[in-house]
Amino acid sequence: RAGGPASKDGDGGGTGGEGGAEVGGEGGGGIRGSGVECSTATLATEHAALSRLRRFVGSGMAASADRHIAGTGEADSSLLGVPLALGCLSPRHVHEAAAATEGCGWLGSHMEMRDYFIYAGMAAGAALFSSRGWRPVHGRKGFPKGGEALVEWLQPAQHENAWRRWATGHTGLPLVDAAMRQLQQTGYCSNRVRQNAASLLAKDLRLDWRAGAEWFQWLLTDHEVSANWGNWSYFAGAGGDSKQRHFRTVSQAAKYDAGGLYVRRWLPELADEAVCVEAVLR
């Protein structure tokens, strides 16, 4: 992922949504399930990036990667977001390597998704940065009041406490808090947790999604403008697909971080094994 909410499991640099847009990217790595960071600075050359691509695909890691867990590591993430964003690696190389290896088709599809957001960003122009996106966002049942009323996003400046708690990882929802603290400390967090962070900001707090996009732009090591802003608008319901996506963060934690390994890694206050799993999940 090279920069924003882009694909469901994609290589982009932003936030991802179910079925096609993600808020996060393949920018960092670590130990499977823990979210322990793995520096990607050494991948910021063509030689290093190609070497990583060959290892990830050729060793079988790509075919067996668990791309849905909260704390993806170097065995589950390509780690190619940074060289893709910097132009050190061609997405064609990634697509060709994936197409030639059984079980790696998902990696090629993420390159296609990345291309989609780049071209969509070119088509959207300045509208990419509009609060209403490429088309007006309409209220759906439960968000915020049904009918066809346009969503009026709340401004962080007028809701500073809610914004600060989300941005710094102090909402009280462990999965989202772990994601935001990992992002601040490493410039990376997995697609799964980016989606949950985006959902909380746009669908529960109803804060202007553009503030979230700017925050990710500032923090992501693999940021790419079109992928990040395109994915955020997608998740907010203001992009090319206005379908409303709303994640239930507690059930997401139970499903994708059932043992609490990821949350315990990034939230020191819950790291003690004496803290029960239920407290870690919610």
Side-chain angles (χ1 to χ4, degrees):
R1 307 162 189 150
S7 83
K8 189 173 182 178
D9 307 296
D11 272 88
T15 309
E18 291 289 352
E22 80 184 69
V23 182
E26 298 268 355
I31 299 172
R32 177 175 292 202
S34 70
V36 176
E37 70 275 16
C38 174
S39 174
T40 57
T42 57
L43 297 179
T45 67
E46 183 181 32
H47 176 76
L50 287 173
S51 178
R52 168 60 187 174
L53 174 61
R54 286 191 293 269
R55 178 169 178 263
F56 185 62
V57 173
S59 68
M61 284 192 289
S64 63
D66 186 348
R67 309 184 310 277
H68 305 290
I69 58 176
T72 54
E74 65 177 0
D76 306 300
S77 169
S78 75
L79 309 184
L80 297 174
V82 169
L84 282 167
L86 295 176
C88 301
L89 178 66
S90 167
R92 287 183 178 272
H93 282 133
V94 181
H95 195 280
E96 290 169 1
T101 309
E102 185 177 356
C104 299
W106 64 270
L107 192 54
S109 72
H110 295 163
M111 296 301 98
E112 296 169 8
M113 233 175 287
R114 181 175 182 274
D115 276 0
Y116 164 76
F117 278 103
I118 290 174
Y119 284 111
M122 293 170 64
L128 183 66
F129 308 103
S130 168
S131 64
R132 294 182 176 179
W134 312 349
R135 64 185 71 179
V137 181
H138 293 291
R140 301 283 180 95
K141 184 177 181 181
F143 175 60
K145 54 185 178 182
E148 291 299 311
L150 294 176
V151 173
E152 294 297 334
W153 302 104
L154 303 177
Q155 296 307 307
Q158 279 72 54
H159 300 270
E160 187 174 351
N161 184 52
W163 164 255
R164 285 184 178 275
R165 289 174 63 185
W166 177 85
T168 61
H170 290 84
T171 67
L173 290 168
L175 186 65
V176 171
D177 289 348
M180 299 308 293
R181 293 194 209 177
Q182 182 188 12
L183 181 61
Q184 289 181 70
Q185 294 176 44
T186 71
Y188 169 81
C189 60
S190 74
N191 176 47
R192 175 60 53 184
V193 297
R194 294 187 202 195
Q195 293 177 35
N196 278 271
S199 178
L200 180 65
L201 184 78
K203 304 303 171 63
D204 294 300
L205 299 177
R206 288 196 287 134
L207 292 173
D208 192 333
W209 63 269
R210 297 175 301 172
E214 286 193 53
W215 191 238
F216 273 56
Q217 177 172 326
W218 188 50
L219 293 173
L220 284 170
T221 58
D222 63 356
H223 181 262
E224 197 284 319
V225 174
S226 295
N228 183 49
W229 285 82
N231 276 296
W232 267 98
S233 65
Y234 167 93
F235 213 94
D241 178 2
S242 58
K243 177 182 178 181
Q244 298 301 332
R245 293 162 179 83
H246 192 176
F247 279 27
R248 294 174 175 82
T249 299
V250 174
S251 60
Q252 286 272 305
K255 187 174 183 179
Y256 299 109
D257 188 36
L261 184 62
Y262 173 73
V263 165
R264 291 183 193 276
R265 167 66 181 86
W266 295 105
L267 301 185
E269 62 269 34
L270 296 177
D272 194 323
E273 291 298 327
V275 178
C276 69
V277 173
E278 182 176 358
V280 172
L281 295 179
R282 64 181 189 177

